Amino acid sequence: MDDRAQPGWEGFTFMGMDHQGEFRRAALELGIPDDEISRFSQHLRLSIGLSGVGGGSPVGQFGGLPRLPMGMKWPSAGDILLPLLFSVDCGALPRVDGFDLPADGTLLFFVDQEKDHGDSSGRYARVVYVPDGTETAVAEAPSSVCVREQLGLCAELRAELPLWLQEGEDEDWHEYWEDLDWEDMSPFQQQLVRYMERDLPHLDELRTLAYGLWPSGAFVVIGGYADDEVINSIAEQTLAGREKAGEIPAIPIAKWYSHLEKEKHRLTSEWISLASEARAYEEYYTSFVIRHDDLAATRVGEALAVTGFKAP
């Protein structure tokens, strides 16, 4: 990636034309140049926030009992039944260009969060897709499965930016960057700083505008940027695997972090958050990520789940 290249991802647009037009018109009214608006918009993703039903129509449910295809057994990992985290009606969700959710049908997310937190295999989480027209029934809860209290969910669009364009969302990450002197930054970090200063001089105004049009705040978020911890783990495994296979030269320890940052940026063009649970509401929180091509082909069983623990 040369010094003039735009960091982040390329090749995907995650706002519909109406959303792009709405954002562009509002930014132009602030006096921000059109080319800068275009650069910023390449990094702006719209996701779908799910929260307790207020005035909106329900699009799914948090907890409760799942509607499963007739004859389908309750999802499990061996003899351990997986609780339903939430389910959504894909046809009732707002559409976001570039985010290839099924046009209809239901997505159900199952996870035993305590076991998934202590296991990296992903076996304790499952995403199930039930197409429209499938004969289903509300599953009876076996005595051994935990059933969360059911809560109806409504949806609204929300704005998301990659971690390096956010402000104060991750204090440790930002404090780390702010404490670095220029000469202590890796070449890739320096490139990001140059890009923000040179090509996004109105970053604060653009960021404020995006969050004003599509505020954040939800129990669960569908789409958007994959959790940084998850992408970091995938990037580490990818680099280590390429090293072991001889596809790339061995990376010196001193340059590992810079290579890891580049790999994480590359992976944002391959992976997206399928669903992520907000950290503020529960002791455990689970993120489901998936490759773009797997989502487009409705291979939701290929989603990876990672459960974190919110320390008190």
Side-chain angles (χ1 to χ4, degrees):
M1 184 169 63
D2 63 41
D3 189 52
R4 292 296 304 180
Q6 297 181 7
W9 75 7
E10 295 88 20
F12 292 93
T13 300
F14 275 74
M15 293 195 294
M17 292 305 295
D18 289 343
H19 300 128
Q20 287 187 32
E22 180 183 6
F23 182 77
R24 185 175 300 277
R25 287 190 296 271
L28 288 171
E29 289 178 2
L30 295 175
I32 300 174
D34 187 72
D35 59 345
E36 185 180 350
I37 298 170
S38 296
R39 285 192 292 270
F40 179 84
S41 296
Q42 290 184 6
H43 307 294
L44 175 62
R45 295 185 183 181
L46 294 186
S47 59
I48 304 166
L50 305 179
S51 55
V53 172
S57 300
V59 300
Q61 68 181 52
F62 188 85
L65 296 172
R67 290 195 68 93
L68 295 176
M70 298 294 292
M72 179 179 176
K73 294 182 179 180
W74 193 291
S76 65
D79 58 355
I80 297 175
L81 300 177
L82 305 178
L84 174 68
L85 183 62
F86 72 98
S87 61
V88 290
D89 175 0
C90 296
L93 295 175
R95 307 310 297 177
V96 178
D97 283 0
F99 181 46
D100 295 314
L101 274 181
D104 52 33
T106 304
L107 283 173
L108 303 101
F109 296 80
F110 295 85
V111 59
D112 185 318
Q113 292 183 306
E114 185 174 357
K115 292 189 178 299
D116 189 62
H117 175 59
D119 187 290
S120 61
S121 69
R123 65 191 297 260
Y124 293 105
R126 188 80 48 79
V127 182
V128 174
Y129 174 61
V130 181
D132 265 6
T134 304
E135 188 177 358
T136 62
V138 176
E140 293 185 12
S143 59
S144 60
V145 72
C146 173
V147 179
R148 294 171 178 256
E149 181 180 356
Q150 183 172 323
L151 173 68
L153 296 172
C154 63
E156 62 180 358
L157 293 175
R158 65 197 298 274
E160 287 198 20
L161 291 168
L163 186 61
W164 56 277
L165 279 181
Q166 296 174 20
E167 182 179 29
E169 294 291 328
D170 186 319
E171 293 181 2
D172 292 339
W173 187 87
H174 283 275
E175 286 178 2
Y176 171 76
W177 270 52
E178 290 169 0
D179 290 342
L180 281 180
D181 292 327
W182 179 261
E183 58 271 16
D184 294 328
M185 291 183 180
S186 70
F188 192 70
Q189 288 171 336
Q190 292 176 352
Q191 188 175 340
L192 291 180
V193 172
R194 288 194 201 100
Y195 172 69
M196 286 186 283
E197 291 179 346
R198 179 190 59 211
D199 293 338
L200 294 175
H202 297 89
L203 174 59
D204 288 343
E205 295 97 315
L206 289 164
R207 191 163 44 201
T208 299
L209 175 61
Y211 290 146
L213 289 171
W214 303 290
S216 60
F219 290 151
V220 176
V221 177
I222 303 289
Y225 280 93
D227 186 272
D228 188 67
E229 294 176 10
V230 180
I231 288 295
N232 192 82
S233 176
I234 295 173
E236 287 180 335
Q237 295 176 39
T238 301
L239 283 179
R242 292 172 66 194
E243 273 189 322
K244 185 176 181 180
E247 296 175 8
I248 59 174
I251 301 171
I253 294 177
K255 295 185 177 181
W256 174 261
Y257 186 70
S258 183
H259 281 263
L260 182 63
E261 286 180 312
K262 283 187 176 182
E263 185 64 15
K264 286 169 64 176
H265 278 259
R266 186 188 70 81
L267 287 171
T268 58
S269 66
E270 294 183 13
W271 293 84
I272 189 170
S273 173
L274 180 56
S276 60
E277 192 180 11
R279 303 185 182 194
Y281 300 105
E282 300 286 343
E283 184 178 31
Y284 291 101
Y285 53 92
T286 302
S287 296
F288 296 83
V289 300
I290 192 168
R291 285 188 173 91
H292 290 282
D293 55 353
D294 285 329
L295 180 58
T298 323
R299 294 189 293 263
V300 296
E302 298 299 316
L304 299 179
V306 176
T307 298
F309 180 79
K310 186 180 72 174

